[in-house]
Amino acid sequence: VCIHRVRSCSSIRFIKSKYVCVFDKSALKFSHQQRLFRTSAVSCGQIVQFKLSDIGEGITEVTVKEWYIKEGDSVSQFDSICEVQSDKASVTITSRYDGIIRKLHYNLDEIAYVGKPLVDIEIDASKGVAPEEDVVETPPMSHEEHTHQEIKGHKTLATPAVRRLAMENNIKLSEVVGTGKDNRILKEDILNYLAKQTGAILPPSPKAEIIPPLPKSETVPAAPKDKARKIPVPVSRPIVFSGKDKTEPITGFHKAMVKTMSAALKIPHFGYCDEIDLTQLVQLREELKPLAQIRGIKLSFMPFFIKAASLGLLQYPILNASLDESCQNVTYKASHNIGVAMDTEQGLIVPNVKNVQVCSVFEIASELNRLQSLGSAGQLGTNDLTGGTFTLSNIGTIGGTYAKPVILPPEVAIGALGKIQVLPRFNGKGEVFKAQIMNVSWSADHRIIDGATMARFSNLWKSYLENPASMLLDLK
């Protein structure tokens, strides 16, 4: 290699001291004027360290849950690299470069830190990527680059070509309605969106057809009422005795629960319990289930519980409030973001249904279906898990009648719902009849809520559920 060649190619970075011995004295005399670069094993590409950018919400570390690539794979911009999980949500990290993966800095279930290298990518310097010396640092994400990292659960499905078209026209994908499979955004959706912005006239996009209810003769047959009761079978798992103690770090949602419950136990709780007769609600749900199935929605009792709670919160807004740390100010929340506790493989999570006060029972059911499917897959986003103002925990789906729920700060109240049981009760004439009974256990922050307020709210919530037709008078 001649020294003239080294001088003319600024991109070549392979000079090492052990190679200097091949040059004569004149070469040595000349070479001291040159800047020495760190060795790189690549002659035609450049190694870029793609660092984990700030995810927000004060998150500084995440757990690598899944790699979508391996060393030697080719990636393009917006291709998924890995899935990471913080103590608040799961996040999909996507590539900012076109190139070849040369190194993965973490194994599965290892802790990755914000600002530290995630992967090394070999890029083609001839494609206009600015060369960076030594340690290549990923710049903070700008507003335009925010689409490179998306919260799962709110991830917009689109091909790289569609994303590039949206970026070139300064369009936020979150504002575009996708018409493809699984709401995937197509090129036509971007063009239609542009047409609406510019006033151009394009053929209207097809809309989902509303299917009318089936005639009574064609409705889904109801299950026979006298069918044999299902005997619950306990879930058992094979037990393996290793004979050794095992220590595991607390990560992910479990780590969040440690912080939240430690703060919650500083709140002076008080409890209030009651039983609800859901006989009429059970009949109403059986009538509405086939209609919801036609619309593709599974209708459970929870949407009715949530909507009834929202109607009660309108009358008792102190239960939809928060107290500051100094206990000097109370903030009454305008939105009813009602959380629903879910038991998942990742641990206890509490996503919430936003703005219940302006949602119908069907809209609440639809949102619950979405949250439950994402929760089961461990793909809930930060927006789904934050901002709650009131919580209901349906412990009855697992078993149990009463509970002692713990308030989730900064909220001030929470309710735990027991299982629905068929029990004997007396009517107004003193006759025994079968009633669908559910027990509820409330916990409230005794610093700003008294027992009478909690009891009145519970009575109102109870009246809506025991007489579901009464909700029609207050629905908006």
Side-chain angles (χ1 to χ4, degrees):
V1 180
C2 65
I3 198 67
H4 176 73
R5 179 60 177 169
V6 175
R7 291 185 60 195
S8 62
C9 297
S10 59
S11 62
I12 296 180
R13 303 179 178 183
F14 54 85
I15 300 178
K16 278 190 175 181
S17 58
K18 66 180 182 179
Y19 293 132
V20 176
C21 62
V22 303
F23 301 111
D24 56 15
K25 292 183 179 180
S26 61
L28 288 172
K29 182 179 180 180
F30 185 76
S31 63
H32 80 278
Q33 300 175 2
Q34 308 302 310
R35 180 177 180 180
L36 297 180
F37 295 94
R38 194 176 66 172
T39 302
S40 172
V42 183
S43 59
C44 60
Q46 177 183 355
I47 300 296
V48 173
Q49 288 186 337
F50 177 31
K51 296 187 178 182
L52 180 62
S53 300
D54 186 6
I55 302 174
E57 298 289 332
I59 297 171
T60 58
E61 62 181 42
V62 295
T63 303
V64 179
K65 302 303 294 183
E66 183 177 359
W67 285 107
Y68 298 121
I69 45 86
K70 60 182 181 297
E71 293 181 1
D73 286 355
S74 297
V75 294
S76 301
Q77 292 186 48
F78 308 106
D79 283 354
S80 296
I81 291 180
C82 65
E83 178 186 341
V84 299
Q85 186 181 76
S86 69
D87 57 355
K88 297 181 180 179
S90 294
V91 181
T92 297
I93 307 298
T94 56
S95 175
R96 296 179 56 231
Y97 305 101
D98 298 330
I100 301 174
I101 301 297
R102 289 304 181 192
K103 181 180 179 181
L104 307 181
H105 285 268
Y106 301 97
N107 296 321
L108 291 180
D109 296 325
E110 286 188 347
I111 303 298
Y113 297 92
V114 171
K116 299 296 183 181
L118 193 62
V119 296
D120 288 355
I121 304 178
E122 179 187 339
I123 61 175
D124 189 349
S126 64
K127 292 188 176 181
V129 180
E132 303 177 58
E133 299 178 9
D134 282 343
V135 178
V136 181
E137 194 166 327
T138 303
M141 288 198 310
S142 64
H143 178 72
E144 292 78 13
E145 295 172 334
H146 186 66
T147 54
H148 289 290
Q149 294 188 154
E150 300 178 80
I151 304 297
K152 295 194 77 172
H154 291 274
K155 182 177 179 181
T156 305
L157 297 178
T159 63
V162 172
R163 292 181 182 273
R164 184 170 285 107
L165 178 63
M167 291 181 64
E168 291 173 353
N169 292 277
N170 295 322
I171 296 175
K172 293 182 180 179
L173 289 177
S174 58
E175 299 177 355
V176 181
V177 178
T179 59
K181 183 181 179 181
D182 297 329
N183 297 323
R184 183 180 295 275
I185 297 178
L186 308 177
K187 181 180 179 181
E188 291 75 13
D189 300 327
I190 300 293
L191 297 178
N192 287 332
Y193 183 86
L194 277 173
K196 291 178 182 178
Q197 300 298 316
T198 58
I201 300 176
L202 289 178
S205 57
K207 296 183 179 179
E209 182 181 357
I210 299 177
I211 304 175
L214 294 174
K216 288 187 177 180
S217 59
E218 300 179 7
T219 54
V220 179
K225 296 183 180 180
D226 57 347
K227 64 179 181 180
R229 293 183 60 187
K230 294 182 179 179
I231 301 176
V233 179
V235 178
S236 61
R237 297 179 180 178
I239 301 175
V240 179
F241 292 98
S242 62
K244 297 181 180 179
D245 296 341
K246 183 173 67 172
T247 302
E248 293 181 348
I250 298 176
T251 59
F253 295 133
H254 294 284
K255 193 171 185 178
M257 188 165 62
V258 170
K259 297 177 182 178
T260 303
M261 293 299 102
S262 298
L265 291 181
K266 298 178 182 178
I267 299 174
H269 287 56
F270 81 89
Y272 178 84
C273 301
D274 200 357
E275 72 171 29
I276 320 294
D277 184 354
L278 299 180
T279 304
Q280 292 187 36
L281 182 61
V282 170
Q283 296 174 355
L284 176 62
R285 174 177 171 264
E286 287 299 322
E287 295 174 3
L288 296 179
K289 277 176 63 177
L291 301 179
Q293 288 177 355
I294 292 174
R295 299 188 186 186
I297 296 300
K298 180 182 178 182
L299 182 63
S300 64
F301 290 104
M302 186 57 74
F304 297 97
F305 300 154
I306 292 175
K307 188 60 183 180
S310 178
L311 294 175
L313 293 176
L314 293 173
Q315 300 295 325
Y316 300 95
I318 187 64
L319 296 174
N320 196 60
S322 64
L323 185 65
D324 64 5
E325 293 182 0
S326 60
C327 300
Q328 300 296 318
N329 299 288
V330 178
T331 302
Y332 294 86
K333 304 293 185 177
S335 298
H336 296 173
N337 300 337
I338 299 182
V340 180
M342 294 182 182
D343 177 43
T344 68
E345 294 182 357
Q346 291 79 28
L348 175 67
I349 56 176
V350 189
N352 58 81
V353 181
K354 298 289 193 294
N355 298 309
V356 176
Q357 75 279 4
V358 294
C359 292
S360 66
V361 172
F362 177 79
E363 291 171 335
I364 297 171
S366 177
E367 178 66 2
L368 274 179
N369 285 184
R370 185 186 72 86
L371 294 175
Q372 287 167 348
S373 61
L374 292 175
S376 300
Q379 297 178 352
L380 285 167
T382 303
N383 186 58
D384 295 325
L385 296 168
T386 57
T389 60
F390 187 87
T391 298
L392 292 176
S393 176
N394 190 8
I395 194 65
T397 57
I398 300 175
T401 306
Y402 293 97
K404 187 179 179 182
V406 179
I407 299 170
L408 299 176
E411 299 174 20
V412 295
I414 184 175
L417 312 175
K419 62 182 179 181
I420 300 176
Q421 306 176 86
V422 179
L423 298 174
R425 289 296 183 268
F426 292 95
N427 60 18
K429 298 179 181 181
E431 300 169 340
V432 178
F433 70 98
K434 293 194 303 182
Q436 304 277 351
I437 301 298
M438 181 190 74
N439 297 99
V440 61
S441 305
W442 302 103
S443 290
D445 188 339
H446 217 337
R447 294 175 296 182
I448 58 173
I449 300 173
D450 54 55
T453 301
M454 190 76 252
R456 293 188 181 100
F457 167 82
S458 181
N459 290 337
L460 180 58
W461 181 76
K462 174 180 178 178
S463 68
Y464 283 132
L465 298 178
E466 292 188 338
N467 304 281
S470 64
M471 285 196 288
L472 296 175
L473 298 176
D474 296 324
L475 290 177
K476 298 183 182 298

